[in-house]
Amino acid sequence: MKTKKTTIHDIAKELNITASTVSRALNNNPRISEATKKAVLGMAKDLNYQPNNLAAALRKGKSQLIGIIVPTINRSFFSSVIRGVEEVANKLNYRVIVSQSNEDVDNEIVTLNALLNARVDGILVSIGKNMDRFEHYQELIKKGIPLVLFDRTTNEISTSQVIIDDYLGGFQATQHLIKQGCRKIVHFTNVNQVNIYKERYRGYREALKEYDIPFDESLVYKSNMQLADGRECAEKLLASKTAFDAIFSASDYAVVGAMQVLKENKIKVPDDVALVGFSNEPFTSFTDPALTTVSQFPIEMGQAAAESFFEILNSKKKKFIPQKTVLQPELIIRASSLKLDK
Amino acid sequence: MKTKKTTIHDIAKELNITASTVSRALNNNPRISEATKKAVLGMAKDLNYQPNNLAAALRKGKSQLIGIIVPTINRSFFSSVIRGVEEVANKLNYRVIVSQSNEDVDNEIVTLNALLNARVDGILVSIGKNMDRFEHYQELIKKGIPLVLFDRTTNEISTSQVIIDDYLGGFQATQHLIKQGCRKIVHFTNVNQVNIYKERYRGYREALKEYDIPFDESLVYKSNMQLADGRECAEKLLASKTAFDAIFSASDYAVVGAMQVLKENKIKVPDDVALVGFSNEPFTSFTDPALTTVSQFPIEMGQAAAESFFEILNSKKKKFIPQKTVLQPELIIRASSLKLDK
DNA sequence: AAATTTAATGCAATCGATTGCATATTATAA
DNA sequence: TTATAATATGCAATCGATTGCATTAAATTT
């Protein structure tokens, strides 16, 4: 029952040639005659040969494996990125090993080492929220192991990145609200001012400026941006009696929390208050009213990250200059912000 | 710059011992003295040694890699399963390679072979929707490669499975509606009667029976269960003028579509029509009213699948009797079905 | 003190594929 | 016909860790 697996040596023996020839034939090496190639391929099929990538990987020093580290796998955004990576990688005969950091640096380091031990040919990573140590990544660069950062990045690490233009997303979202006639636009942002939130915030301010709307710091609410946080912010907002006619939230979750509170207080969305979120989480099209939000094209981001990785890989000889790929976000307009043209 | 990676031979040379001793020391083999172990560990750290799993895998014939195949990675249910698998696997020092079949048999076969070439120690798979060929999996069993099916399974393959009790889920959902006073309960099910839908349907019928409610075939709507299908079914339903006071849908998507149509027709949820979905998709808590649904515990399913895999792996010697793990679903009661006790 | 265990380490083959450097064979040129 | 080039294949080392089977040295028994 436990039949020994066929190797190139078995094929070689059957055909009275050597393993080297078989190896070359399988790799379509021009030094091998067409006749032998055909014979080898035929025998390989007959013997149900399955190449052992481990052996090849060991010898060649490349495993055809890519490691990807995300904070959590089961978040729509990240799983979509993974999907994108997988698509590109598989086409080029690479496999993808996934792992999660759970937003914890120590965990991230352990995970990273495990991937290195598995001898992945490179790493794609979206850095966790409160990460402040990057030596383990800088170490990678030194070792010459391809590294690509996506979405949550940092300039502390000199390597290729794929991000979306969060500034533009923030600008477009705010501009859209302004065009809908809103003037007192609240902004929900993250207490933790990592790049992406900083940029969305910047886009918000810039849009206000462009339309000559004075910026009012008291309209900016910082939180952890989960649903409950959104509720809390909305409650504080209402309690403060501040007038406002829109909320642009840098997170879909937070804005849904706010939507709930507004509804509970009989405030009409979008008529009294227009809402715009960020990320185009799948649930945004299911709320009532459906949420206007900004798509980050996660699958495309994954594809771009994978492509970035292969670029580094293929230019290994020369010094590679880190590339920054910036994807364009897209404002997805739904009912929650449509005051006009209904 | 391109510093050669340290191997056990480097450590051995430094300490004037052999690689075998180093290997044994690193593996905490009792035949090695504490003193040498300490020395080896110290030197390993000094030289920044990172074990090469490929080499070990080649020699030992096991890669510490698990392959997982799902129809699509970026679906909440599947990515959560992957998360569960990853958690269990990582603790045992295994890595997870993900890949998707995109609901296509040929693709599935290609993918499976790629995983085998990568020499994964086993495969976890959720079979695609319209899959009718299973030889490639039966082949696996013959070769003695551990295989675990989860969620979408088939009895054509004699191996361990992890599923939830869909029958019970269907029963509980229906029972809940009955207890809320509903008597004319519509059921949305899949045209494609794979196991899971068949079972949910069976649970529905059995609950009716138990409460002496006559089964009415005209209340059963078959579709592809996407949002648009749900809308369509609801429209047909309304057009038919059939009286009904609840919908139990075997899919969350379809029931949200129905909810939209009901609202558009000023039919009150849950007062006029109570709604229950299935799967506990993340968006179900964001609809208005929030959806009552059935949780399938995807993370737990992933964990169970991984554990099942390790059981097969560890009992390799003797003949392993396939295990069927049946997880209990849980009815998550939210506003969409609550007519009473509000 | 000789014989026998026990403990600690070394030797060398092995896992399966790849590849630089021969070698053998045939075809072409001189 | 001999020298030269081109073609096809073989030899053997290599990638890095593991492991069955010695071997050596120290400890214990008789």
Side-chain angles (χ1 to χ4, degrees):
Chain A
M1 168 185 169
K2 251 280 175 84
T3 41
K4 213 76 179 73
K5 286 192 184 106
T6 18
T7 71
I8 52 172
H9 293 96
D10 301 324
I11 300 179
K13 202 170 292 169
E14 287 293 323
L15 296 173
N16 266 318
I17 53 179
T18 60
S20 350
T21 305
V22 174
S23 171
R24 292 192 175 105
L26 291 171
N27 288 305
N28 201 26
N29 188 311
R31 297 193 328 193
I32 302 298
S33 70
E34 288 307 318
T36 6
K37 277 182 189 170
K38 190 165 284 179
V40 167
L41 254 21
M43 186 57 69
K45 179 161 264 179
D46 288 355
L47 297 181
N48 196 18
Y49 169 71
Q50 286 211 301
N52 186 331
N53 285 0
L54 293 176
L58 176 59
R59 173 64 224 241
K60 294 199 290 190
K62 46 211 290 322
S63 62
Q64 309 269 114
L65 295 173
I66 305 178
I68 178 166
I69 305 177
V70 294
T72 40
I73 294 172
N74 62 334
R75 272 268 302 282
S76 168
F77 176 77
F78 291 120
S79 63
S80 298
V81 172
I82 295 175
R83 184 195 170 107
V85 172
E86 199 258 4
E87 285 174 1
V88 173
N90 277 20
K91 263 184 211 128
L92 297 169
N93 210 25
Y94 274 71
R95 304 298 123 203
V96 178
I97 300 184
V98 293
S99 46
Q100 38 194 357
S101 63
N102 290 314
E103 312 272 10
D104 176 84
V105 193
D106 294 320
N107 204 338
E108 199 182 57
I109 295 175
V110 171
T111 294
L112 179 60
N113 275 319
L115 290 176
L116 292 179
N117 293 351
R119 285 302 191 266
V120 293
D121 290 338
I123 305 259
L124 314 188
V125 59
S126 187
I127 295 168
K129 257 179 206 157
N130 306 305
M131 306 293 189
D132 46 356
R133 287 153 51 199
F134 305 111
E135 307 88 45
H136 44 301
Y137 289 120
Q138 282 146 356
E139 199 63 34
L140 276 193
I141 315 270
K142 262 192 220 151
K143 288 190 196 152
I145 296 171
L147 172 68
V148 176
L149 308 179
F150 62 88
D151 191 47
R152 305 213 204 140
T153 66
T154 170
N155 291 324
E156 301 273 325
I157 309 169
S158 162
T159 193
S160 289
Q161 312 186 351
V162 180
I163 53 176
I164 70 150
D165 190 338
D166 284 285
Y167 164 78
L168 182 61
F171 186 92
Q172 288 175 335
T174 311
Q175 183 181 45
H176 165 70
L177 287 170
I178 296 171
K179 287 195 175 166
Q180 294 293 313
C182 303
R183 286 298 171 272
K184 296 179 175 301
I185 304 173
V186 172
H187 181 46
F188 285 0
T189 186
N190 202 303
V191 267
N192 200 306
Q193 284 288 308
V194 277
N195 272 0
I196 56 176
Y197 296 111
K198 239 188 264 178
E199 286 298 293
R200 293 172 196 175
Y201 188 4
R202 199 164 68 80
Y204 161 76
R205 293 191 62 165
E206 200 57 31
L208 292 181
K209 200 168 172 189
E210 180 140 341
Y211 288 85
D212 294 319
I213 299 175
F215 167 69
D216 178 354
E217 179 121 33
S218 72
L219 292 181
V220 176
Y221 282 76
K222 297 187 177 183
S223 74
N224 271 317
M225 320 273 311
Q226 294 311 296
L227 189 132
D229 302 306
R231 289 191 63 98
E232 207 175 300
C233 289
E235 275 156 6
K236 275 191 210 151
L237 186 55
L238 293 178
S240 75
K241 303 281 179 200
T242 327
F244 67 102
D245 51 15
I247 301 177
F248 162 45
S249 165
S251 147
D252 283 332
Y253 287 92
V255 79
V256 168
M259 181 189 280
Q260 291 178 352
V261 171
L262 293 176
K263 280 179 168 184
E264 286 161 21
N265 286 274
K266 309 277 179 234
I267 296 173
K268 287 205 159 45
V269 176
D271 304 303
D272 301 333
V273 173
L275 299 179
V276 175
F278 208 108
S279 286
N280 193 27
E281 290 283 341
F283 64 77
T284 54
S285 57
F286 297 127
T287 56
D288 183 18
L291 257 178
T292 294
T293 183
V294 178
S295 173
Q296 306 176 274
F297 298 105
I299 296 185
E300 286 78 0
M301 183 176 284
Q303 293 169 338
E307 278 155 15
S308 241
F309 160 77
F310 286 113
E311 265 173 41
I312 304 182
L313 197 70
N314 295 330
S315 69
K316 215 46 184 312
K317 317 287 153 225
K318 329 124 205 174
K319 272 201 172 52
F320 185 76
I321 298 150
Q323 303 289 313
K324 191 172 206 163
T325 307
V326 181
L327 302 178
Q328 298 292 302
E330 183 182 304
L331 184 69
I332 299 190
I333 300 173
R334 301 205 186 93
S336 74
S337 68
L338 272 187
K339 296 186 153 193
L340 316 167
D341 358 297
K342 283 221 264 196
Chain B
M1 167 188 168
K2 250 274 173 90
T3 41
K4 214 72 182 79
K5 287 196 182 103
T6 24
T7 71
I8 53 172
H9 293 97
D10 301 324
I11 300 178
K13 202 170 291 169
E14 286 295 322
L15 296 173
N16 265 319
I17 54 180
T18 59
S20 351
T21 305
V22 175
S23 171
R24 293 193 175 103
L26 291 172
N27 288 305
N28 202 24
N29 187 313
R31 296 192 331 192
I32 302 298
S33 70
E34 289 307 319
T36 11
K37 277 183 190 170
K38 189 165 285 177
V40 167
L41 255 20
M43 186 56 69
K45 179 161 264 177
D46 288 354
L47 298 181
N48 196 20
Y49 170 71
Q50 286 209 302
N52 186 331
N53 285 358
L54 294 177
L58 176 60
R59 172 64 223 239
K60 293 198 291 190
K62 44 209 292 322
S63 61
Q64 309 270 112
L65 296 173
I66 306 178
I68 177 165
I69 304 177
V70 294
T72 40
I73 293 172
N74 63 333
R75 271 269 302 283
S76 167
F77 176 77
F78 291 121
S79 62
S80 298
V81 171
I82 294 174
R83 184 195 170 108
V85 172
E86 199 257 7
E87 284 173 3
V88 173
N90 277 17
K91 264 185 209 128
L92 296 169
N93 211 25
Y94 274 71
R95 304 297 123 204
V96 178
I97 300 183
V98 292
S99 46
Q100 38 194 357
S101 64
N102 289 314
E103 312 271 12
D104 175 84
V105 192
D106 294 319
N107 202 339
E108 197 181 60
I109 294 176
V110 171
T111 294
L112 178 60
N113 276 318
L115 290 175
L116 292 178
N117 293 351
R119 286 301 192 266
V120 295
D121 290 339
I123 305 258
L124 314 188
V125 59
S126 186
I127 296 169
K129 256 178 204 159
N130 305 305
M131 305 292 189
D132 45 357
R133 286 153 52 200
F134 305 112
E135 307 87 47
H136 45 298
Y137 290 120
Q138 281 146 357
E139 200 63 32
L140 276 193
I141 315 270
K142 262 192 217 148
K143 287 191 197 151
I145 296 171
L147 172 68
V148 177
L149 307 180
F150 63 88
D151 191 47
R152 306 213 206 140
T153 65
T154 170
N155 291 322
E156 301 273 323
I157 308 168
S158 163
T159 192
S160 290
Q161 312 186 350
V162 181
I163 53 176
I164 70 149
D165 191 337
D166 284 286
Y167 164 79
L168 183 60
F171 187 94
Q172 288 174 335
T174 311
Q175 181 182 46
H176 164 69
L177 286 170
I178 296 172
K179 286 194 176 165
Q180 294 292 312
C182 304
R183 286 298 173 271
K184 294 177 178 305
I185 305 173
V186 171
H187 181 47
F188 284 179
T189 185
N190 201 303
V191 269
N192 200 308
Q193 284 288 307
V194 278
N195 271 0
I196 56 177
Y197 297 112
K198 239 189 264 177
E199 287 296 293
R200 293 171 196 175
Y201 189 5
R202 196 164 68 82
Y204 161 76
R205 293 190 61 164
E206 199 59 32
L208 292 182
K209 199 167 170 188
E210 180 140 341
Y211 288 86
D212 292 319
I213 299 176
F215 167 69
D216 178 355
E217 180 121 35
S218 72
L219 293 180
V220 176
Y221 282 74
K222 297 188 178 182
S223 75
N224 271 317
M225 321 278 303
Q226 295 309 298
L227 189 133
D229 303 305
R231 288 190 62 98
E232 207 176 300
C233 289
E235 275 156 6
K236 275 191 209 154
L237 186 54
L238 292 178
S240 75
K241 305 282 180 197
T242 327
F244 67 103
D245 51 15
I247 302 177
F248 161 46
S249 165
S251 146
D252 283 331
Y253 288 91
V255 81
V256 169
M259 182 189 279
Q260 292 178 353
V261 171
L262 293 176
K263 280 180 168 182
E264 286 160 23
N265 285 276
K266 309 278 180 232
I267 296 173
K268 287 207 161 44
V269 176
D271 304 301
D272 302 333
V273 173
L275 299 178
V276 175
F278 206 107
S279 287
N280 192 28
E281 290 284 341
F283 65 76
T284 54
S285 58
F286 297 128
T287 56
D288 182 19
L291 258 179
T292 294
T293 184
V294 178
S295 172
Q296 314 184 75
F297 297 106
I299 296 186
E300 286 78 359
M301 184 176 282
Q303 293 169 336
E307 278 156 13
S308 242
F309 160 77
F310 286 113
E311 265 173 40
I312 304 182
L313 197 71
N314 296 329
S315 69
K316 217 43 187 317
K317 317 286 154 232
K318 327 124 203 172
K319 273 204 172 46
F320 185 75
I321 297 150
Q323 303 288 313
K324 191 173 206 162
T325 307
V326 180
L327 302 178
Q328 298 291 302
E330 183 182 303
L331 184 69
I332 300 190
I333 300 172
R334 302 205 185 94
S336 74
S337 67
L338 273 187
K339 297 186 152 193
L340 316 167
D341 357 300
K342 283 220 260 194

